[in-house]
Amino acid sequence: MRPTSISTNDFFGSRLTAARHFTAFAQRHTTVPAQLADADLVAAVNPLTYLLKKQSQVAPHWRIRHGAADRDTSFAIPIILATKLRNQGYDVDCAMPWTTPHSGDYDLPELFDWMDQLCQ
């Protein structure tokens, strides 16, 4: 039976396998035996994969939000993405809403205002 909460490892599961590791490091150091996720699948969900490919068409404007109370994902993840985008010349609006967890509401009215400003 699958757990009631979804973990990142579940994301890489299949209809036959509930969860798979997404790094070789995790696979080597696991206390719970599991398969290793397909490298192409892992790469497909990593935005840096596409930023590094010359044939990719990258959106010119990015709005990245990561809750400051997120206990599930490292702050490094959005910072690395925002930094890479800025270094490549893209417009990036990156913020970490205070006391907002992983599942937080990232100010939807402000998001729509931001999109409206881009479209004017």
Side-chain angles (χ1 to χ4, degrees), residues 37-66:
D38 179 64
D40 290 336
L41 174 60
V42 176
V45 298
N46 181 352
L48 294 179
T49 299
Y50 304 99
L51 292 176
L52 300 174
K53 290 185 178 182
K54 291 183 184 199
Q55 68 269 27
S56 294
Q57 292 183 358
V58 180
H61 308 283
W62 289 69
R63 189 169 196 272
I64 301 168
R65 295 295 181 268
H66 183 93

Side-chain angles (χ1 to χ4, degrees), residues 63-105:
R63 189 169 196 272
I64 301 168
R65 295 295 181 268
H66 183 93
D70 186 335
R71 62 181 178 82
D72 300 310
T73 305
S74 168
F75 292 165
I77 300 301
I79 299 302
I80 290 168
L81 177 59
T83 301
K84 183 68 174 172
L85 287 162
R86 283 184 182 133
N87 287 345
Q88 290 188 351
Y90 296 102
D91 174 41
V92 179
D93 176 355
C94 183
M96 297 177 125
W98 192 248
T99 70
T100 303
H102 188 74
S103 60
D105 179 358

